[in-house]
Amino acid sequence: MSCLMLVGATGLVGHCVLQQALADARVQQVVAPTRSALPPHPKLLNPQVDFDHLPEDAAWWAVDAVVCTLGTTIKAAGSQAAFYRVDHDYPLQVARLAQRHGARAYALNSALGADPASRVFYSRTKGELERDLQRLGYPSLTLVRPGLIGGEREHGRPAEQLAVRLSTLLKPLLPKRYRVVPAERIAHHLLQAALAGVPGVQVLMSEQLV
């Protein structure tokens, strides 16, 4: 049985990962550090943290694998710098600390188009995170790159919701890469990757998730 860390448990995909992990007999405990408390569960350890000042020596860093679904929008973050901190710096710091305490697998919810050389700030941020995670040398690293994500978010993203609706209507005409991927499917692949711990770097593209 595995001890799994989940960061981003309050988001759309993260919530799905949490529910699936808590129901999975292979998972002994889920460690989900969050800013605000989650509903209690016998298998859940939920430390409340400030991601700008993570406790580096906390015992709960000692996990077998990490799933990261942290992410925001520039509008919600307030600036490109704040967005970069949430979507790059926090996931990378979590990866470093968990690895230092023994984690051997890391599964990231990235994004379609992630590329450190991209001219698009969002895609460049995601690409730089993928690049920097690979430099850490995790025995198992899985980069999941969904396109549009289907599901009901607690805090709406109007532009994304419109794109999802249009994509759903045009589904028969769209290549698989550009179709809506249900959050539950993304969560499934992230969890399976973290638990399987396949050696090396795996990249799962959007069309592989549906």
Side-chain angles (χ1 to χ4, degrees):
M1 296 179 75
S2 297
C3 184
L4 177 77
M5 175 169 288
L6 170 62
V7 285
T10 58
L12 174 59
V13 175
H15 176 74
C16 293
V17 175
L18 179 62
Q19 297 307 308
Q20 292 179 22
L22 292 175
D24 196 312
R26 295 170 296 173
V27 179
Q28 181 179 11
Q29 184 179 56
V30 178
V31 179
T34 56
R35 293 186 186 276
S36 55
L38 297 169
H41 186 282
K43 288 171 61 172
L44 177 63
L45 175 60
N46 178 217
Q48 272 78 74
V49 301
D50 176 354
F51 281 92
D52 286 315
H53 303 92
L54 288 169
E56 297 189 3
D57 296 321
W60 44 260
W61 285 111
V63 297
D64 301 299
V66 180
V67 172
C68 178
T69 63
L70 276 175
T72 186
T73 62
I74 295 177
K75 181 178 180 181
S79 68
Q80 286 190 344
F83 171 86
Y84 194 88
R85 189 165 66 249
V86 174
D87 276 58
H88 175 276
D89 297 349
Y90 291 171
L92 187 61
Q93 180 68 350
V94 165
R96 287 187 179 123
L97 292 173
Q99 184 184 44
R100 185 186 304 171
H101 287 78
R104 297 183 58 78
Y106 191 102
L108 172 72
N109 187 40
S110 186
L112 185 68
D115 181 353
S118 175
R119 294 183 178 181
V120 179
F121 177 73
Y122 177 87
S123 299
R124 186 167 68 251
T125 298
K126 296 295 188 181
E128 288 179 1
L129 174 58
E130 290 188 0
R131 177 200 64 199
D132 295 341
L133 286 172
Q134 291 184 61
R135 289 173 175 172
L136 292 181
Y138 263 84
S140 174
L141 175 63
T142 302
L143 307 171
V144 177
R145 296 179 182 169
L148 293 171
I149 301 174
E152 294 296 324
R153 294 186 184 274
E154 182 178 350
H155 303 289
R157 299 181 182 181
E160 182 180 68
Q161 290 171 352
L162 176 60
V164 167
R165 286 196 293 270
L166 289 174
S167 179
T168 301
L169 289 172
L170 298 173
K171 180 178 179 180
L173 306 175
L174 291 175
K176 277 190 174 182
R177 173 169 294 194
Y178 301 108
R179 294 179 186 176
V180 176
V181 184
E184 294 83 2
R185 291 297 301 160
I186 301 169
H188 168 80
H189 286 284
L190 287 165
L191 180 60
Q192 298 310 310
L195 295 178
V198 176
V201 179
Q202 277 65 236
V203 179
L204 296 181
M205 301 302 292
S206 196
E207 60 267 31
Q208 298 173 264
L209 307 176
V210 294

